[in-house]
Amino acid sequence: MRIVSTSDASPLVHAAERVGDRWILLLIEALLEGPHRFGELQNSVDGIAPNILSNRLKQLERNQVVIARPYQQRPPRYAYELTASGYALGGALRLLAQWGAHEGQGEPLRHHTCGTPAEARWYCPTCSAVLADSETDENIIV
């Protein structure tokens, strides 16, 4: 295990700078269902104030996680949807939700056939193998 500081350009630091906010994660979760208009997002994300929603959507656009597509010219109105980069966050959100369920907050993801809680595993597509933790490079941020 290698320990790195936050001054290093680690992938986790990069990701946290782009999406390391509770509102952003909830917006991405809502947008995984498909494009939403501003009002729909406000209804989907319980408790988010309009100014915070606007700010986070602009931040996600700058970071190329969300794209705003105009659907009305006057006044300008947009539908927001995830980019390919945004959709790639779906797996990470599922892992965070699974961790939250493990911590006693909600139901874990379950296998439809037998009902057993699912577990995430690292997989090597070249070797077609499930990897043990000892077989991966791991960076811990301190």
Side-chain angles (χ1 to χ4, degrees), residues 19 21-36 41 44-46 60 65-66 82 86-87 89-94 96-98 109:
V19 297
D21 172 292
R22 137 186 134 129
W23 294 119
I24 286 177
L25 296 176
L26 293 173
L27 286 170
I28 292 168
E29 179 187 37
L31 290 169
L32 284 169
E33 300 170 4
H36 283 64
L41 283 170
S44 293
V45 179
D46 191 39
L60 287 167
V65 175
V66 166
L82 293 174
Y87 276 109
L89 287 166
L93 290 181
R94 291 182 90 184
L96 282 171
Q98 188 72 0
L109 297 173

Side-chain angles (χ1 to χ4, degrees), residues 71-142:
Y71 68 87
Q72 179 178 313
Q73 295 296 325
R74 290 188 180 217
R77 308 256 171 150
Y78 301 90
Y80 299 90
E81 62 184 278
L82 293 174
T83 62
S85 175
Y87 276 109
L89 287 166
L93 290 181
R94 291 182 90 184
L95 289 172
L96 282 171
Q98 188 72 0
W99 178 75
H102 176 71
E103 294 294 310
Q105 301 297 317
E107 263 308 296
L109 297 173
R110 295 186 179 275
H111 183 219
H112 288 293
T113 304
C114 69
T116 301
E119 294 181 3
R121 298 280 188 240
W122 288 109
Y123 173 79
C124 177
T126 301
C127 302
S128 298
V130 175
L131 305 177
D133 287 344
S134 62
E135 297 176 285
T136 63
D137 293 333
E138 185 177 341
N139 294 325
I140 303 293
I141 307 304
V142 292

